[in-house]
Amino acid sequence: MTSSRRTRWHACALAGLLVAAAACGPARPNTSMAGASDAANRVYVAPGAKDEFYAFMSGGFSGQVSVYGLPSGRLLKVIPVFAQNPENGYGYNVETKALLNSSFGNIPWDDTHHPSLSQTDGAHDGRWLFINANNTPRFARIDLATFETVETIEVPNTGGNHGAPFVTENSEYLIGATRFSVPIPQADVAISDRASKFKGTISFVKANEAGKMDIAFQLLVPGIDYDLGRPGKGPSHGWAFFTSYNTEQAFTKLEVNASKNDYDYIAAVNWKALEACAAGGKARSWPARYAHNVMSHTTHQATTEFKTAVNVIDPKDCAGSIYYLPTPKSPHGVDIDPTGEYIVGGGKLATVIPVHSFSKMMKAIEEKAFEKDVEGIPVLAYAKVMAGEVQNPGLGPLHNEFDDKGCAYTSVFISSEIVKWCFSDFKVVDRVPTYYSIGHLMVPGGDTKKPYGKYVVAMNKITKDRYLGTGPELTQAGQLYDISGAKMKLLLDFPLIGEPHYAQAIDANLLKDKETKFFTLADNAHPWATKREQDAGISRQGKTVHVKMTAIRSHFAPDNIEGVQVGDTVLFHVTNLEQDWDVPHGFAAMGNWSDAELLVMPGQTRTLTWIPKYPGVYPFYCTDFCSALHQEMMGYVRVSPAGRAVALQANVPRPAAAPPAAGKR
Ligand SMILES: [Cu+2]
């Protein structure tokens, strides 16, 4: 560390630990400081060549997931998850809308934070990506064959779903904890009664079968706030670990009032014990209302089932299911190393990185080395579970990921850097600045038993002076570092769709040959699918007009529609007849105030709801450039005043009459 850098640290510390700003990063970007001399070569992916990794970045308050290639940093796709997406009609069209259903109604937005790839035996298996909705607690499953959201489930008895979802070693469960304690079950109580009336939960959601997410059980926990978590692996498989903060149980001005205690806790939860307790009848069924939404790849429609009860386990009824490990000081992240032995806290306000030992924890439990208890939950003695403390980690250590050589990479927010240290002696061996104020970081496979150990990506909160200005809001950004050698080397800055909160990356070899290239038309079981042009048509049910429409290069059938009246609702059910990769068709109709466009994949059916306001003749057209005659792919719908006698008709092409059989002339 240079002396000027050290001086700046002290200035930041004096300015207040809690106030982080770009001013606390390096004064000016210095690309030579950490950059590799061959950086351009290392990240250059030649035209036509492919990236090594798919990186799935959370969209934060965009509600989505974005997919980037690494090492190039090229944006490949945005996957809509918890927010409507006009680009492809997700959450607007009839078929996908149900994926946003909840007990509060249809919610058009949420905040996605922690992508989590499915695992088998502690390593990525390329089946699914999961992500949380932070605001109205939900989990989503994204199918990695289609890169589409296929399932969502609401998590009841939870207030803020930040500490989620994290996948257990064989994708048995997604685990999640309540960030904000709340009355459980919800009730009208005074906020000042927080300490006595609020509780938390830790949820275990079955994840290992597509379409069958379900809340297996929830553990009722004391009403402090819980943050990030990780399941154990290897020897610690069967356990889950969550940080906690606000053991003060403050309910106003938390920035001061929740930062008083020297120690908060990492909660160690034995989910195998909880499974046994649930099987032994120790769970109680509590009334709860939550939605489970599933997309079918045959009907191409999402459906909702509302559930009415959830299994809740009180730790008093399940001895040995939870312990607290004292951890300094408002820890943010907790991460488990690839061996499963080390439980690494993110001290946030601490002067060290605390590392607990799983084997010592088990011994302390056996010896009942308890300091005290919190509402009956034993608090283990800090000295008995501590494996080591990493000294001089920088200001504000948050999160850790791991390489394949026994070392950890810690993101440090206030001093804006990545710190590398190793388990052999818990000593810092390298540090590089990030521009600026890193939150999460990600090593491909860095939370698994088998990290790739080649790159680390910093997800930064502030990009002042790194990019061309774009008004009051600047781009969000990532930085890619080479970690293959002893020293980290900065390779690339790349802008990201905000907020890139956390990311996970998977080896492209696990996905590239399993893509769904199109949906088989013959398998399309959508009730309004049209598989041949001559089966297209129009029908009226009261004030609702159904148009069965096909799209194929380069026309719609029908393309002239009459007999619609003001006061009608028109449902355009558009089936894309193409059976070829990368030939979607779009559909949009003028004056469409209640819906977005449709983007219909080959073999798929999607429905746009169109409610005409005024008489006239309105064009519709294909929005996705599909062929040389894409401009010609359009049609008209005539709208008449209510009550005018215009026959309902659509110009559906009929097949040419078959030639008469011989002998019948
Ligand atoms: Cu088209």
Side-chain angles (χ1 to χ4, degrees):
M1 183 175 31
T2 64
S3 62
S4 65
R5 192 165 165 78
R6 189 178 298 126
T7 307
R8 192 155 48 247
W9 275 22
H10 289 172
C12 288
L14 288 171
L17 277 177
L18 303 174
V19 182
C24 295
R28 281 179 185 283
N30 180 349
T31 47
S32 65
M33 209 162 156
S37 55
D38 61 345
N41 273 341
R42 300 290 311 277
V43 302
Y44 182 65
V45 177
K50 310 278 179 18
D51 278 290
E52 292 171 67
F53 294 98
Y54 290 92
F56 298 94
M57 303 272 179
S58 67
F61 45 80
S62 83
Q64 320 294 39
V65 167
S66 48
V67 188
Y68 289 80
L70 295 180
S72 72
R74 298 180 298 187
L75 174 64
L76 304 175
K77 187 178 174 112
V78 173
I79 305 171
V81 186
F82 282 118
Q84 286 179 312
N85 194 42
E87 182 190 8
N88 63 356
Y90 177 89
Y92 289 95
N93 60 54
V94 168
E95 287 77 11
T96 54
K97 210 172 180 105
L99 289 167
L100 302 179
N101 279 346
S102 77
S103 63
F104 297 91
N106 192 272
I107 298 185
W109 171 88
D110 216 298
D111 186 16
T112 56
H113 272 228
H114 303 112
S116 203
L117 287 157
S118 60
Q119 297 185 12
T120 298
D121 192 23
H124 294 158
D125 58 22
R127 290 185 291 168
W128 305 301
L129 178 77
F130 302 98
I131 196 159
N132 59 327
N134 217 351
N135 181 50
T136 303
R138 288 169 287 171
F139 292 160
R141 182 198 306 272
I142 293 159
D143 185 338
L144 291 181
T146 59
F147 285 60
E148 288 179 359
T149 303
V150 291
E151 189 174 4
T152 56
I153 190 166
E154 193 177 356
V155 185
N157 296 332
T158 302
N161 190 34
H162 184 252
F166 305 101
V167 175
T168 57
E169 200 168 89
N170 291 298
S171 306
E172 297 95 335
Y173 296 108
L174 303 178
I175 61 173
T178 194
R179 180 183 190 177
F180 309 120
S181 282
V182 288
I184 295 177
Q186 272 293 359
D188 171 25
V189 302
I191 296 169
S192 56
D193 287 342
R194 187 202 187 290
S196 60
K197 299 276 176 66
F198 288 19
K199 297 289 263 181
T201 55
I202 292 173
S203 300
F204 294 80
V205 176
K206 282 186 205 158
N208 210 12
E209 251 187 293
K212 299 203 172 160
M213 275 179 169
D214 199 7
I215 297 163
F217 42 79
Q218 295 187 304
L219 181 66
L220 198 62
V221 287
I224 56 179
D225 293 339
Y226 296 84
D227 213 335
L228 289 158
R230 289 286 186 197
K233 48 174 89 87
S236 52
H237 179 64
W239 288 77
F241 303 90
F242 287 92
T243 56
S244 73
Y245 65 109
N246 195 14
T247 45
E248 298 85 352
Q249 297 186 296
F251 51 87
T252 179
K253 293 199 172 64
L254 267 64
E255 62 174 338
V256 175
N257 294 328
S259 304
K260 291 178 176 165
N261 292 347
D262 285 337
Y263 288 86
D264 297 277
Y265 305 118
I266 288 173
V269 180
N270 184 341
W271 59 257
K272 294 258 178 183
L274 291 171
E275 276 182 337
C277 286
K282 298 287 175 60
R284 283 175 288 168
S285 179
W286 282 18
R289 186 174 154 82
Y290 55 102
H292 176 220
N293 310 308
V294 181
M295 169 61 74
S296 157
H297 276 323
T298 53
T299 66
H300 298 284
Q301 289 187 318
T303 50
T304 298
E305 181 190 3
F306 284 101
K307 308 226 172 175
T308 55
V310 66
N311 286 326
V312 175
I313 302 176
D314 188 320
K316 291 185 182 72
D317 299 329
C318 189
S321 59
I322 177 169
Y323 299 88
Y324 283 138
L325 315 179
T327 305
K329 169 159 181 120
S330 297
H332 189 51
V334 56
D335 297 286
I336 312 303
D337 85 304
T339 70
E341 162 64 8
Y342 294 112
I343 305 155
V344 186
K348 196 162 79 179
L349 305 181
T351 55
V352 298
I353 299 169
V355 184
H356 299 299
S357 152
F358 178 74
S359 52
K360 283 188 175 180
M361 181 192 95
M362 294 305 285
K363 192 154 177 277
I365 291 171
E366 203 179 306
E367 292 171 354
K368 295 194 170 13
F370 305 147
E371 279 180 357
K372 58 176 184 177
D373 73 273
V374 176
E375 296 180 32
I377 296 173
V379 178
L380 298 168
Y382 183 70
K384 294 278 188 179
V385 295
M386 178 54 46
E389 291 177 336
V390 180
Q391 302 295 325
N392 191 21
L395 292 178
L398 294 183
H399 303 284
N400 312 280
E401 295 248 322
F402 308 98
D403 66 15
D404 51 347
K405 302 176 195 76
C407 297
Y409 301 78
T410 302
S411 59
V412 188
F413 182 74
I414 299 172
S415 51
S416 188
E417 59 187 330
I418 299 174
V419 170
K420 176 183 178 181
W421 53 275
C422 300
F423 289 100
S424 52
D425 56 6
F426 301 105
K427 290 224 161 63
V428 172
V429 294
D430 192 25
R431 57 201 326 146
V432 288
T434 62
Y435 307 96
Y436 304 96
S437 295
I438 181 174
H440 275 274
L441 77 178
M442 180 271 287
V443 173
D447 74 317
T448 71
K449 279 180 174 174
K450 292 173 185 161
Y452 287 89
K454 194 164 178 181
Y455 304 111
V456 64
V457 176
M459 279 150 273
N460 301 324
K461 305 300 182 189
I462 296 162
T463 62
K464 280 179 186 170
D465 76 19
R466 296 299 282 186
Y467 295 94
L468 290 174
T470 51
E473 191 191 14
L474 299 174
T475 185
Q476 314 260 324
Q479 291 186 296
L480 181 77
Y481 296 79
D482 172 13
I483 58 167
S484 59
K487 297 288 180 190
M488 293 177 274
K489 289 189 172 124
L490 177 59
L491 298 176
L492 182 70
D493 279 19
F494 58 114
L496 297 171
I497 293 175
E499 178 206 1
H501 188 84
Y502 178 53
Q504 293 209 327
I506 192 167
D507 185 339
N509 289 313
L510 282 170
L511 297 186
K512 67 181 176 54
D513 299 324
K514 57 172 282 190
E515 291 146 308
T516 298
K517 295 194 163 73
F518 54 84
F519 298 107
T520 305
L521 187 63
D523 296 341
N524 182 336
H526 191 292
W528 293 96
T530 312
K531 299 189 186 179
R532 303 179 306 173
E533 284 191 352
Q534 60 261 41
D535 297 332
I538 191 164
S539 59
R540 173 180 286 283
Q541 294 174 344
K543 293 275 188 196
T544 302
V545 174
H546 291 277
V547 181
K548 288 183 66 177
M549 183 179 277
T550 59
I552 192 164
R553 284 164 286 181
S554 299
H555 60 278
F556 293 106
D559 66 0
N560 282 193
I561 294 163
E562 301 198 4
V564 171
Q565 300 186 356
V566 173
D568 287 343
T569 294
V570 183
L571 296 174
F572 290 99
H573 308 284
V574 182
T575 301
N576 181 345
L577 298 180
E578 309 277 357
Q579 292 288 270
D580 197 359
W581 197 16
D582 196 26
V583 194
H585 289 290
F587 180 85
M590 181 177 169
N592 185 21
W593 55 271
S594 69
D595 207 331
E597 65 155 347
L598 298 178
L599 192 64
V600 193
M601 297 302 124
Q604 191 180 54
T605 303
R606 286 277 180 259
T607 300
L608 183 128
T609 305
W610 190 69
I611 306 173
K613 283 206 164 171
Y614 312 110
V617 178
Y618 300 99
F620 54 81
Y621 70 103
C622 175
T623 52
D624 190 353
F625 204 110
C626 56
S627 69
L629 297 174
H630 166 70
Q631 286 290 98
E632 285 75 9
M633 193 164 174
M634 62 81 66
Y636 290 107
V637 54
R638 173 184 171 188
V639 178
S640 304
R644 180 177 287 182
V646 176
L648 191 69
Q649 56 184 311
N651 61 337
V652 176
R654 296 296 164 210
K664 287 199 175 172
R665 282 173 192 248

